[in-house]
Amino acid sequence: LVSLDYRPEVTMLSFYARGRLLRSWSLGALVADLGKLKRTASHYYWGHGVGFNAKGLYEVEVVGRGTLHFDVRTGRLVR
């Protein structure tokens, strides 16, 4: 969840290796259309981390985009 006064540049997802930041993803980079955020009683729902799939990719379910897959070794979006 993000606050009602969210900023698109707020970091939502970060990948680290041995304490070094590999890559960060902002709310605006993850959610293509911020107008699709879903209002809850006190916040906006943007999505959630699903976990690792059988290929070792980290899955994140994002409002308006479906499931995104990230390579945790690089922090890059795979598909």
Side-chain angles (χ1 to χ4, degrees), residues 6-32:
Y6 71 87
R7 297 175 56 105
E9 48 287 329
V10 66
T11 299
M12 302 305 294
L13 187 61
S14 296
F15 294 92
Y16 289 85
R18 294 181 168 82
R20 184 177 63 87
L21 178 65
L22 299 174
R23 185 161 191 158
S24 291
W25 290 86
S26 68
L27 177 65
L30 291 171
V31 180

Side-chain angles (χ1 to χ4, degrees):
L1 299 176
V2 293
S3 66
L4 296 177
D5 61 347
Y6 71 87
R7 297 175 56 105
E9 48 287 329
V10 66
T11 299
M12 302 305 294
L13 187 61
S14 296
F15 294 92
Y16 289 85
R18 294 181 168 82
R20 184 177 63 87
L21 178 65
L22 299 174
R23 185 161 191 158
S24 291
W25 290 86
S26 68
L27 177 65
L30 291 171
V31 180
D33 180 359
L34 294 171
K36 292 190 178 194
L37 293 175
K38 296 181 181 177
R39 175 75 191 259
T40 68
S42 59
H43 290 76
Y44 284 109
Y45 173 77
W46 69 274
H48 67 278
V50 176
F52 290 93
N53 66 17
K55 295 181 180 180
L57 300 174
Y58 188 69
E59 296 184 346
V60 178
E61 186 73 28
V62 178
V63 170
R65 288 187 74 182
T67 304
L68 303 181
H69 300 86
F70 294 89
D71 181 339
V72 296
R73 296 168 297 171
T74 64
R76 294 193 177 157
L77 179 63
V78 175
R79 55 185 150 103

